Amino acid sequence: MKKVIFIKGIKGFIGKNLFKQLKKEFNIIQFKFNFREKNFENNLRNILLNKKLDYFIYLSFIKKPKNYFDEIQNHDLPIMIAKFLEKNNPKCKFIYFSTLNIFLSNHKDEYILTKKKIEKKLKKLKNSIILRIPLILSKNIDGDKKKLSRFVNILPAISFIPYKGSNINYMELHIFIKYFI
């Protein structure tokens, strides 16, 4: 029987691509979160209890929140879901996508500060996995990857961005995530 995975953020760039690859081997569940519903938390609990999830992948993040509901999605929702799953479905792994940028001391924007707060809370839970991913590039990126690499690479001998002639290879995200599933 196929393992059941829910991907929160399935409509974003990473979520769409992850879904395309994982749906071949896993049963991917989708449902719409409606924060404006009066009984949002109860509805969410019922869905999480009824779906018998093996993995919950949380990709969703709004970089420029416009309202209270965006803030809930960024701050409260990942913790609420992870805690609920730990209590009610302890076999389900909650996989939270964060960023390597949390280690940059000179970058303290709202995105990084929020990711740090969430990670701190998730580290206390047994069922949570935090994946800190580097810069994500599509295969069809516009512009010159070599020029972009000059902004990101620390030392000339170390390249974090693959470009023609570099020693770095792409790692497909779906292959990476299978190490954790």
Side-chain angles (χ1 to χ4, degrees):
M1 189 163 148
K2 286 184 173 182
K3 292 195 180 238
V4 179
I5 299 174
F6 177 81
I7 302 173
K8 173 74 174 101
I10 202 164
K11 291 185 180 181
F13 173 73
I14 296 171
K16 276 188 235 178
N17 288 289
L18 196 56
F19 171 72
K20 279 185 214 174
Q21 295 300 319
L22 293 180
K23 73 179 182 177
K24 298 171 187 173
E25 298 177 47
F26 301 95
N27 182 12
I28 308 295
I29 301 294
Q30 300 179 60
F31 55 89
K32 186 175 179 173
F33 287 84
N34 187 350
F35 300 112
R36 291 170 177 85
E37 283 180 1
K38 190 174 184 180
N39 296 321
F40 163 71
E41 286 186 42
N42 288 334
N43 292 340
L44 177 61
R45 285 184 187 113
N46 288 334
I47 290 167
L48 292 174
L49 283 173
N50 293 327
K51 295 297 180 184
K52 306 286 188 246
L53 300 175
D54 294 300
Y55 299 94
F56 191 108
I57 299 174
Y58 200 96
L59 293 167
S60 188
F61 195 92
I62 299 169
K63 279 209 170 190
K64 294 181 182 177
K66 295 177 187 143
N67 56 47
Y68 169 74
F69 300 107
D70 291 352
E71 294 291 338
I72 288 174
Q73 181 165 302
N74 288 351
H75 294 270
D76 302 328
L77 191 58
I79 304 304
M80 180 192 324
I81 292 169
K83 284 182 176 179
F84 181 83
L85 290 171
E86 182 176 68
K87 181 179 177 185
N88 298 287
N89 185 359
K91 291 182 180 179
C92 179
K93 293 292 181 194
F94 182 83
I95 302 173
Y96 182 75
F97 274 65
S98 190
T99 176
L100 286 173
N101 291 346
I102 66 159
F103 298 118
L104 300 175
S105 58
N106 59 343
H107 286 74
K108 298 204 179 197
D109 63 9
E110 187 63 27
Y111 173 74
I112 293 171
L113 294 173
T114 301
K115 292 286 187 179
K116 281 183 179 180
K117 286 178 194 173
I118 293 169
E119 281 194 25
K120 186 176 180 180
K121 292 177 183 178
L122 287 176
K123 285 178 184 177
K124 296 175 185 175
L125 302 175
K126 295 175 189 166
N127 69 330
S128 296
I129 298 170
I130 298 167
L131 296 180
R132 295 184 190 111
I133 55 176
L135 180 64
I136 300 290
L137 299 172
S138 74
K139 289 181 180 174
N140 302 322
I141 189 169
D142 291 331
D144 184 355
K145 292 178 191 170
K146 194 168 184 177
K147 285 181 187 174
L148 179 60
S149 72
R150 289 185 193 133
F151 291 104
V152 185
N153 298 332
I154 299 168
L155 302 169
I158 300 173
S159 174
F160 294 110
I161 299 177
Y163 59 89
K164 190 174 182 179
S166 79
N167 293 328
I168 253 185
N169 293 314
Y170 289 99
M171 180 171 198
E172 306 251 352
L173 191 57
H174 70 281
I175 295 169
F176 177 69
I177 198 132
K178 284 182 188 177
Y179 288 109
F180 300 94
I181 296 180

